[in-house]
Amino acid sequence: MTKTIKRVAVIGTGVIGASWAALFLAKGLEVVATDISPNAKKALDDFIAAAWPALERLGLAPHASLSNLRFTDNLEAAVADSDLVQENGPERIDFKQDLYRRLDGLLARDVIIASSSSGLTMSAIQSACPDHAERCVIGHPFNPPHLIPLVEIVGGNKTSEETVHRVTEFYRALGKRTIRLHKEVPGHVANRLQAALYREVVHLISEGVVSVGDADTAVSWGPGLRWGAMGPSLLNHLGGGQGGIEHFFEQFTGPMTAWWHVLGSPELTAEVRARIIKGVHEETQSRSVRDIAAYRDDVLLGLLSLRHAEV
């Protein structure tokens, strides 16, 4: 169980899988990718080519090369001789269980199977593995994985601590910032936090309090800037002045908890969705998705360069 991870099999090469593949290549690993979708290989090659300049800015590992990528539509060939599998298949429990049942029979017992699943629990997924469910774990990235350092690690009820330790060390060696969830919850942590904020955004828009564009401005040019530097509890420690978090709670517990009681529980009706869609298109000012993503990635690269010592 101390096997060095040099070759990674990437199952599923959509947006998340392709991003993982780009990162693994940039870190000097061998990557064998597989996907049965039509034109999957071209889409993967195009994604990695577009992502490579950003990865070069972040710094490539010795021996990092696009030539370390191989593609096949054959699952068995893809996972042969792999040291770790990063699975990015559809979020359907029947699909995942069938896939993991097959992988359990194909892979040596010391090969970790990590899932990028954002919504399914590993306990449910690994229940289909008859032999070595202990090596299955959630390794959930935040999009896009080749830039965002966060990885959420969640074991199922059969996942071994050894697997959690090995996959944590693997991701950290890639420069990732990992968090460990000690309980399985739908959506893990980061997506739940994101969903909680967006629920209130939708509420404020649906109630006519603020426009779509102004809600985005409020987040990205207000607390979002601070969240790019540190998390809310540490920021509240600063908010308490010289008295720190203790003074913050003394001063703001009342007002803060009063706001909790009036937060909204909106419904995403057709009317609300139409209002948000209209507002988003007004906000984009006819910029393409590709252009907006490029702007996002450029800002992320700047932030990452500032935080390089931490990452």
Side-chain angles (χ1 to χ4, degrees), residues 11 14 85 108 206 236 289:
I11 299 177
V85 173
S206 66
N236 287 343
V289 170

Side-chain angles (χ1 to χ4, degrees), residues 100-113:
Y100 277 62
R101 187 181 298 109
R102 292 178 64 192
L103 291 174
D104 201 38
L106 289 171
L107 297 166
R109 64 177 297 273
D110 58 354
V111 178
I112 293 172
I113 310 173

